[in-house]
Amino acid sequence: MKIPKKANRDLRDAQIRLIDITKRKAKREEDLVSIKIYKEIKAYDKRPGLDIKIRLDNKAKDHRMRVLFGHDLDMDSVYAESIFECVKRRAYPPKTWENPDFSQNFNRYIQVMDDKDRGFTVSSLGLAEYENVKDKGLFLTLFRSIGELGDWGDFPTEDAQLDKDGLGRMEFDLFFDSFSKDFRSSRQRVLGGRVEFFALELDRENQREFMVEKPDLELFDNQFSTLFRDRDKNAFIRIYNPDPKASYLRIEKAIDYDILGDHPCEKDLAKDKISAFDIRTFKLEI
């Protein structure tokens, strides 16, 4: 792929003069550079969804690179995971919106669907930014190659151009899942795709030492957040319910703790469900 090498001199002039980004008129240079993009898409026969890997070596400045998931879904909202919630947001900017860009942030996944609950979910490891564009689809930002910090002063950030000293060599992992009706399960599938598996060869002498006891649980419509150990090496798991109604939960050999995992929970909470929009932390007896 060939793209312009950088912006023309008008951009630097606008930066020095502190011209608001919405009023800048800079264009791209005519000189082109080549960027090789390698895409790898994996499909599995044992589970739904796609694993997507993109590799490239950036050679250009003053640009943003995005990947497009094209769709023609009739929808007005998108659903983005935030911190312990799944937020319903506008799919398109209101008429009063003046910024030329309507990009938004997400935590681990973004989901689009029509009024019949048909659509897809995408999760990304990297820059968590998306924009849903009318008649085009869902854009996910791979990286920004921009040599300034904001437009309220002249603060050059040359290394942020990501075009030299090995900074341009980048790798991106994305996880895609389509669904019809089961949009909650789709969220769990893309989150599961983010977990890497590795092989470990054991001999007879250390086999018993590496025996692992897995948590015995079933999330139902709840979502996994964090698995961690405290300073005493006790294992904890944090789960949350993103829905406006209680959701079933099955978890064995676990003790309710406060949200930070510091103290046993004083409230007598049901072990078989999580209340609407609630966050629960459990100490695992493993």
Side-chain angles (χ1 to χ4, degrees), residues 81 84 107-109 187-188 191-192 194-195 215 217 219-228 236-242 249 274 280 284:
E81 188 194 38
F84 300 120
N107 186 23
R108 295 180 295 178
Y109 65 79
R187 298 168 184 172
Q188 294 179 350
L191 293 180
R194 294 162 57 101
V195 180
L217 62 87
L219 292 176
F220 291 93
D221 290 336
N222 301 296
Q223 290 187 204
F224 164 79
S225 172
T226 313
L227 185 65
F228 65 97
F236 288 82
I237 187 170
R238 187 170 293 126
I239 303 167
Y240 77 95
N241 180 6
L249 171 72
I274 297 182
R280 299 278 289 278
L284 300 173

Side-chain angles (χ1 to χ4, degrees), residues 78-83 87 89 101-110 126-131:
V78 297
Y79 299 83
E81 188 194 38
S82 183
I83 305 300
V87 184
R89 295 178 181 154
D101 185 81
F102 195 58
S103 294
Q104 307 288 331
N105 179 263
F106 67 96
N107 186 23
R108 295 180 295 178
Y109 65 79
I110 177 72
L127 187 58
E129 180 183 86
Y130 74 91
E131 183 181 18

Side-chain angles (χ1 to χ4, degrees), residues 3-9 27-32:
I3 64 173
K5 185 175 182 179
K6 60 182 178 179
N8 61 24
R9 293 182 179 180
K27 303 296 183 181
R28 308 285 293 169
E29 281 191 351
E30 293 184 2
D31 292 342
L32 302 178

Side-chain angles (χ1 to χ4, degrees), residues 5-188:
K5 185 175 182 179
K6 60 182 178 179
N8 61 24
R9 293 182 179 180
D10 292 341
L11 175 60
R12 184 60 189 144
D13 179 67
Q15 293 170 343
I16 295 173
R17 295 169 58 193
L18 305 184
I19 295 177
D20 184 273
I21 192 171
T22 62
K23 299 178 181 179
R24 295 179 180 181
K25 305 296 183 180
K27 303 296 183 181
R28 308 285 293 169
E29 281 191 351
E30 293 184 2
D31 292 342
L32 302 178
V33 293
S34 296
I35 299 179
K36 292 183 178 180
I37 301 176
Y38 301 91
K39 293 168 284 186
E40 178 183 304
I41 301 176
K42 291 182 179 180
Y44 301 88
D45 60 350
K46 299 297 184 182
R47 65 173 176 86
L50 301 172
D51 291 356
I52 304 167
K53 186 180 290 292
I54 300 173
R55 299 183 183 91
L56 57 86
D57 191 355
N58 179 50
K59 303 293 185 182
K61 296 182 178 182
D62 311 313
H63 72 116
R64 171 176 62 168
M65 186 169 290
R66 306 194 288 183
V67 58
L68 171 63
F69 293 88
H71 69 82
D72 57 0
L73 293 169
D74 184 13
M75 30 79 81
D76 297 318
S77 302
V78 297
Y79 299 83
E81 188 194 38
S82 183
I83 305 300
F84 300 120
E85 63 178 336
C86 185
V87 184
K88 181 180 179 180
R89 295 178 181 154
R90 288 176 176 266
Y92 310 107
K95 294 181 179 179
T96 55
W97 188 261
E98 297 182 358
N99 194 310
D101 185 81
F102 195 58
S103 294
Q104 307 288 331
N105 179 263
F106 67 96
N107 186 23
R108 295 180 295 178
Y109 65 79
I110 177 72
Q111 194 169 55
V112 297
M113 59 180 150
D114 60 18
D115 57 2
K116 297 181 180 179
D117 293 344
R118 299 175 302 186
F120 62 90
T121 312
V122 182
S123 181
S124 171
L125 294 175
L127 187 58
E129 180 183 86
Y130 74 91
E131 183 181 18
N132 196 71
V133 180
K134 194 75 172 179
D135 298 326
K136 291 185 178 180
L138 180 71
F139 287 90
L140 262 63
T141 300
L142 296 179
F143 68 93
R144 290 175 176 266
S145 176
I146 300 173
E148 64 176 320
L149 181 64
D151 59 355
W152 60 89
D154 184 23
F155 306 113
T157 55
E158 185 61 29
D159 286 346
Q161 293 283 14
L162 302 175
D163 67 324
K164 60 183 179 180
D165 299 330
L167 296 175
R169 290 192 292 271
M170 291 176 273
E171 183 176 295
F172 308 92
D173 290 289
L174 304 103
F175 308 91
F176 176 91
D177 182 82
S178 60
F179 60 84
S180 177
K181 302 297 184 182
D182 63 332
F183 60 90
R184 295 181 180 87
S185 298
S186 179
R187 298 168 184 172
Q188 294 179 350

